[in-house]
Amino acid sequence: MHNSKNKPIIVIAEDNRDNYLLLEYVLKADFQLLHAYNGREAITLFKLYNPVILLMDIRMPEVNGYEALSEIRKISSNVPVIAVTAYAYSQDVKNILSYGFTDYIAKPINVQMLKEKINNLLLK
């Protein structure tokens, strides 16, 4: 059994339980995962745990992904934040990237692509 304390921390901001469980299943072997159910929780977890990366759903209750990113960018301009969105049309992608997200991944999530994006961002 790995000691999760030695694993890099990822905050996953996702209000849909099934989507979170998929991400957890894919990432739990390599990362310590913290689940935020909305953008407000994501901001709090970011401040408390200083994760290496955040996966941020765009549409969440209370505080959406854009609003949460805006607050997180006031604290850190360089922590990688990947938008997780069902809206991956070219204009949506431009908006996401111009808003300050590091990258994005479309739902339904391509697990291999997500792992590659995370690994590439952490190697930078």
Side-chain angles (χ1 to χ4, degrees):
M1 187 79 185
H2 292 294
N3 179 352
S4 66
K5 296 284 180 256
N6 296 331
K7 295 180 191 174
I9 296 172
I10 293 181
V11 169
I12 300 174
E14 172 60 72
D15 62 316
N16 180 298
R17 182 168 161 73
D18 290 339
N19 290 342
Y20 174 77
L21 290 173
L22 170 67
L23 293 167
E24 179 186 57
Y25 178 77
V26 171
L27 299 172
K28 69 183 176 187
D30 300 312
F31 299 96
Q32 182 181 346
L33 305 176
L34 301 172
H35 186 190
Y37 290 89
N38 59 54
R40 181 172 291 114
E41 289 181 13
I43 296 163
T44 300
L45 290 173
F46 176 76
K47 289 176 181 174
L48 289 173
Y49 295 97
N50 194 27
V52 295
I53 202 165
L54 292 94
L55 300 180
M56 183 84 67
D57 187 19
I58 298 292
R59 293 182 60 149
M60 294 182 289
E62 292 187 48
V63 174
N64 70 34
Y66 289 114
E67 295 163 333
L69 178 70
S70 177
E71 289 303 306
I72 288 166
R73 284 292 178 238
K74 292 176 185 173
I75 303 162
S76 170
S77 60
N78 59 357
V79 65
V81 183
I82 298 176
V84 181
T85 180
Y87 305 96
Y89 300 107
S90 62
Q91 189 55 49
D92 298 312
V93 170
K94 284 181 195 153
N95 291 343
I96 287 166
L97 297 176
S98 69
Y99 201 85
F101 283 94
T102 314
D103 204 342
Y104 76 95
I105 190 147
K107 294 178 183 177
I109 293 169
N110 175 322
V111 169
Q112 194 57 44
M113 187 184 294
L114 176 64
K115 284 183 163 184
E116 286 173 21
K117 286 177 184 266
I118 289 172
N119 288 331
N120 289 339
L121 287 168
L122 293 180
L123 292 173
K124 283 184 177 176

